Amino acid sequence: MSEVQSQTQQDQPQPAPPLHESPLRRNWVWFGFQIVAQVLFTIWFRARTRGLENLPKEGPGLILMNHESFLDPLVAAVWIKRPVSYLARHDLFDVPVVGWILRRTYVMPINRLKGSSAAMRATIQRLDQGFLVGIFPEGARTEDGELGEIKGGFLAITRRAPVPIIPMGIAGTRKAMAYGDFFPKPFRVRVVIGEPLDAEEVARLSTKERQGEMLELIEQRLRDCRRAAEEWPRIEKSGKP
C-alpha cells in the first residue's frame, strides 16, 4: 500500500459503535461506567438531576444542553437509564483505551476538518435507530459562564429527522472543572431536564421560514433550565419547594 493511501486511511474517521445495540438498554460498558460515576459524582459534586420523567421512555430524542465544561456529557447522562450518544473528535478514537471506551459507549466520531455532513448523517442514523442523542447547540464551551449564542446547526438534523427535543440545563460544572483544569474541584453540580418539544412541533418549527422562531424558543428553554439548575441549591437552602 502506498504512503498516500496509508495516510488517507488514517485521516478517515473511525466507524461509530454498531447500531444493532438496543437504544433502550445500556450495554455493560456504559452501565458499569455509569454506576461508578454515580457514586463518584454524588460524593465529589453532590450531583443531582431532576426532570428525568421528561425523557422519552422509548423512541428517539435530541437532548440540547448548555456547555460549561468537559464534564458536561458525563454529568448530563449519569442518571439517565437509557444510552445517550454524543459526538467526539475522530482522533480520540485512535487513543489507546480511550478509543475502546468511546466505541463501546455509543459515541460517534466527527472530523471537524472535513465538514459536518458525515456527523449529521451519523446523528440522523442514530436517531432513526431510536437512540437519544446529546448535542451542545452553542458549539463550544462558554468562556464567561453565560449561555452563548445558539447555533442553528441542529436544525439541519431536525429537518430530516423531526424527533422530540429535550432541553437540559447544567450548572456548576464550569466551577468544578474549568478549561485547563487537570482535576475537578468538589463543587456542587445540578442538572435540570425541561419539558420536551414533541416531534410535530419540531417539524413545524424546523422549516427555514420559522428557524428564527425555533432558535429563540430553544434559547429560552435552555435559559430556563439552566436558571433552574443554578437556583436549585438556593431553593433547597431556603426550604421552598
Side-chain angles (χ1 to χ4, degrees):
M1 182 180 292
S2 70
E3 182 178 350
V4 173
Q5 289 175 320
S6 177
Q7 183 64 40
T8 300
Q9 285 191 351
Q10 291 176 6
D11 289 340
Q12 293 299 320
Q14 296 296 319
L19 291 175
H20 61 258
E21 292 199 53
S22 170
L24 302 180
R25 294 188 299 275
R26 298 157 288 181
N27 63 26
W28 69 269
V29 179
W30 176 280
F31 185 75
F33 275 103
Q34 193 175 40
I35 294 300
V36 173
Q38 286 174 359
V39 174
L40 294 179
F41 288 3
T42 299
I43 295 172
W44 197 245
F45 301 131
R46 290 171 287 170
R48 294 178 62 183
T49 298
R50 74 182 185 207
L52 289 167
E53 68 278 2
N54 290 322
L55 292 169
K57 294 182 179 180
E58 59 183 15
L62 192 62
I63 303 174
L64 300 185
M65 64 197 85
N66 63 299
H67 200 7
E68 296 194 352
S69 167
F70 171 78
L71 293 171
D72 293 334
L74 305 176
V75 170
V78 70
W79 298 110
I80 296 178
K81 295 182 179 180
R82 292 182 56 184
V84 180
S85 287
Y86 293 106
L87 292 165
R89 296 196 329 263
H90 73 285
D91 53 338
L92 292 176
F93 286 73
D94 296 326
V95 179
V97 181
V98 173
W100 185 90
I101 293 172
L102 292 178
R103 291 187 184 90
R104 288 158 180 81
T105 52
Y106 314 93
V107 179
M108 299 172 286
I110 175 173
N111 188 334
R112 295 178 179 177
L113 297 179
K114 295 179 178 294
S116 60
S117 59
M120 183 179 69
R121 289 195 298 271
T123 301
I124 291 172
Q125 185 180 28
R126 193 62 56 91
L127 290 169
D128 286 343
Q129 291 290 322
F131 280 85
L132 296 176
V133 174
I135 290 180
F136 301 98
E138 296 166 274
R141 285 170 289 190
T142 179
E143 296 182 355
D144 57 7
E146 298 298 323
L147 183 69
E149 178 187 358
I150 302 301
K151 306 296 194 300
F154 70 92
L155 292 172
I157 296 171
T158 57
R159 288 186 187 121
R160 294 166 176 78
V163 300
I165 289 179
I166 305 99
M168 177 185 287
I170 303 171
T173 53
R174 181 170 176 266
K175 293 183 178 179
M177 191 172 185
Y179 181 77
D181 286 350
F182 291 100
F183 193 79
K185 296 180 287 293
F187 192 87
R188 182 160 39 191
V189 170
R190 295 288 186 263
V191 177
V192 172
I193 303 170
E195 294 185 5
L197 281 70
D198 62 38
E200 290 76 14
E201 185 175 10
V202 170
R204 288 195 301 270
L205 295 177
S206 293
T207 62
K208 292 183 178 180
E209 294 77 17
R210 302 188 69 179
Q211 66 179 13
E213 183 181 349
M214 176 64 134
L215 291 176
E216 289 181 6
L217 178 60
I218 293 301
E219 180 178 348
Q220 187 58 54
R221 292 290 186 92
L222 289 179
R223 287 190 185 279
D224 290 344
C225 289
R226 184 172 178 273
R227 186 181 304 111
E230 288 179 331
E231 294 176 350
W232 188 348
R234 292 196 292 273
I235 292 173
E236 288 179 333
K237 188 174 181 179
S238 68
K240 295 180 181 179

